[in-house]
Every structure is written in structure tokens, then in C-alpha cells.
Amino acid sequence: MNFHVMTLFPEMITQGLSASILGRAQEKGFIALNAVNIRDYTLDKHKRVDDYPYGGGAGMVMAAEPVVRCCRAVMEQIAKENGGCPDTKEQKKCPRVIYLTPQGCTFTQAMAKELAQEEDLIFLCGHYEGVDERAIEMIVTDQVSIGDYVLTGGELPVMVMIDVIARLVPGVLNNKESAESETFQDYLLEYPQYTRPEVYEGLSVPEVLLSGHHAKIGEWRRQQSILRTKKVRPELLAQAVKEECLSKKEMKFYREITGDGTKEK
């Protein structure tokens, strides 16, 4: 999978995503990262990419021209690598262009799973007071937020999204089950994890995890996920029930801990 990031600080992206699991995934060719400097596409002799907003107001706004020209160059590069050009019928559908903004829809694990099916993703990192609306209208397909707060730029949110999405790309994680059984799968939070020693400062590992009985361990873990979700994110548990993500046995456990008298279907 190929990630293309349009940014004013390409080194921030490349350095931030060059270590640990994602660094190894790039070395092995499971994912590719292309950080593109928007300044390279401005026609201003001083390399300016921003200007004062019409109508007045605090701060500066990223100009449409360098952003659009940068995106078109990235699109052409992708098309060339795919053996076509953006205007030919042979070319695959245009990649999605994701603009990171507090005004966008909230990024979720479900969205990450959807985006992980794409071959190429283009990200736009905003700065200052945002990006000229005309550029957004011309090139952006998705506006996404990672939370209800404001950051100094789009680089950190982009790195968060790439980290989440890349983990779902085959081969990135050594253990496929790591991505299939963790937090937010089936709308449930992940169960508690333990490692050696068996007893630490008087706290013991639950006996069921020492039993070697995989069926009982699996049942215990699912119950713990349900309990933890009920305590911390009850709205997610309600969604899991609504989407019928729980087995009949798990629904029985759910009714026991919630007092929900809903009958089994």
C-alpha cells in the first residue's frame, strides 16, 4: 500500500514513520511512504504558500494553487506507476485525497479498515488557519478529524491515520491475530493482558490464563472485553449488541451484567 503525504514538513513525516513496525514494513515493501513538499509547487519566487484571508481575520490561509498543483503532480506520478494517465479509461479510479481538519468526520477503526483496502491514499496536511476552500473543493474526497481538538498542523493526525491503517495491511504485523483481536474489533475494547512473573507485588495472573484450556481462556477474554467496554465505553457495547456482534452465550453474559431483559432471538 502506498501513502502519499502533501506537507510543508516532509521530514516530520518521514522521520516520524521510519522506526519500529512501520519502518520495518517499509523496508520489506509492505507499505511505501512518499512525503511531498507543497512548497516545491508554489510559483511564488519566495516560496510562499500562504496569504491573508479575504474578509479579514487572524492568521494566514494556505493558497489554493500550490496545493492543487502538488496534488496533480502526485496523481500523475501514481498514474504513471500504474501504467496509465488520469485522463485515460485504462487508468484505475483516482486515489482518495484525505484532508485532516477538525471539521471532518471522526476517524474510527471501521474507517481504517475501509481505507486499508485502497492501493494509494493521498493526505493533505493543513497549516495556519486552514486551506483555501477552492483547493478543498477541487481535490479533496474525504475530510477527517482524529478528535475534537486543534493541533498546529496536519502532520501528527496524518501519522496517526497511517499508523492505524498500515497495521491492517497484510504482512505489516507479524501476527495476523494482533489486528483481528484487539481494541474496537466488534466494537469491544481489548481484554486485559499479562506476562511473567505470575505474581508481582501480591497481584496474581488470573488462574484461567495459566490453565492451558484455550476455549476457557477465549471465553474469559471475551467476557473481560464486554466488562471493560461496559465500564469505559458503554455506547460501544450498545453498538456491539445492535450489530449482533455477540454470540448467544455472550448475550446471556451481557444480560447478566446489565440486567437487560431482552429475549434471545
Side-chain angles (χ1 to χ4, degrees), residues 56-185:
M60 307 289 278
V61 176
M62 289 180 66
E65 184 176 62
V67 172
V68 172
R69 293 183 73 240
C70 181
C71 186
R72 286 173 177 167
V74 173
M75 289 278 197
E76 289 176 5
Q77 177 187 342
I78 294 172
K80 186 178 297 184
E81 292 174 353
N82 288 339
C85 68
D87 298 324
T88 63
K89 294 181 179 179
E90 291 77 15
Q91 172 61 25
K92 298 178 182 178
K93 66 176 183 178
C94 290
R96 292 166 71 167
V97 179
I98 302 169
Y99 173 44
L100 277 297
T101 168
Q103 302 174 52
C105 57
T106 303
F107 183 54
T108 64
Q109 190 71 21
M111 187 188 299
K113 290 178 68 175
E114 175 194 343
L115 293 173
Q117 306 305 311
E118 301 288 334
E119 185 174 339
D120 290 272
L121 288 174
I122 302 175
F123 295 89
L124 170 59
C125 301
H127 266 276
Y128 315 120
E129 293 302 308
V131 177
D132 188 308
E133 189 69 20
R134 291 167 294 186
I136 297 172
E137 292 176 0
M138 291 173 68
I139 66 171
V140 171
T141 61
D142 302 83
Q143 297 190 52
V144 180
S145 167
I146 64 166
D148 294 336
Y149 41 83
V150 180
L151 297 168
T152 56
E155 284 75 18
L156 289 175
V158 162
M159 287 190 280
V160 168
M161 286 191 66
I162 290 177
D163 187 285
V164 177
I165 296 167
R167 296 176 78 259
L168 302 175
V169 175
V172 171
L173 296 182
N174 290 331
N175 185 355
K176 184 181 178 182
E177 291 183 1
S178 294
E180 293 180 345
S181 61
E182 57 190 12
T183 295
F184 299 124
Q185 296 300 319

